[in-house]
Structures are given as structure tokens and as C-alpha cells.
Amino acid sequence: MVRMLIAQLADVHLGHRQYGLEERLEDYNRAFLNAVDELVRLREERGGWTR
């Protein structure tokens, strides 16, 4: 049986400065990186990477 972890990461606004604020750019980037970190953690928890 093949097990997959699928994540939908769309419309993440990477590179966007809402209201022209650098802080918003950092917020979007941080949220995206947190999501990626969580996906890696979940994948490793479920048995690591396969080929």
C-alpha cells in the first residue's frame, strides 16, 4: 500500500507587502516556512521519506 501526505499550499502571498509593510512580508514568509516545517515533521513522524 502506498501512503501519501498531500498538502495544499496556495495563495500564500509570498513576496507580498500588505499595506506596504515589511512586517507583513515577514508574516507571510514565516507562516509559509512554519507550514513547510510542520509537513516535514509529519512526514518524518510517519516513517520518513521514501523513493
Side-chain angles (χ1 to χ4, degrees):
M1 174 172 47
V2 175
R3 293 173 39 178
M4 289 188 271
L5 176 64
I6 299 174
Q8 171 69 33
L9 299 177
D11 199 22
V12 294
H13 301 289
L14 294 178
H16 181 67
R17 289 173 177 81
Q18 186 179 27
Y19 310 119
L21 298 174
E22 187 72 20
E23 184 179 356
R24 293 292 77 82
L25 171 66
E26 293 169 11
D27 289 344
Y28 287 124
N29 290 343
R30 188 172 32 256
F32 177 76
L33 291 174
N34 286 342
V36 171
D37 287 343
E38 181 66 9
L39 290 169
V40 170
R41 185 191 69 74
L42 287 170
R43 184 62 186 116
E44 289 173 348
E45 183 179 280
R46 289 176 168 84
W49 302 99
T50 59
R51 295 174 204 251

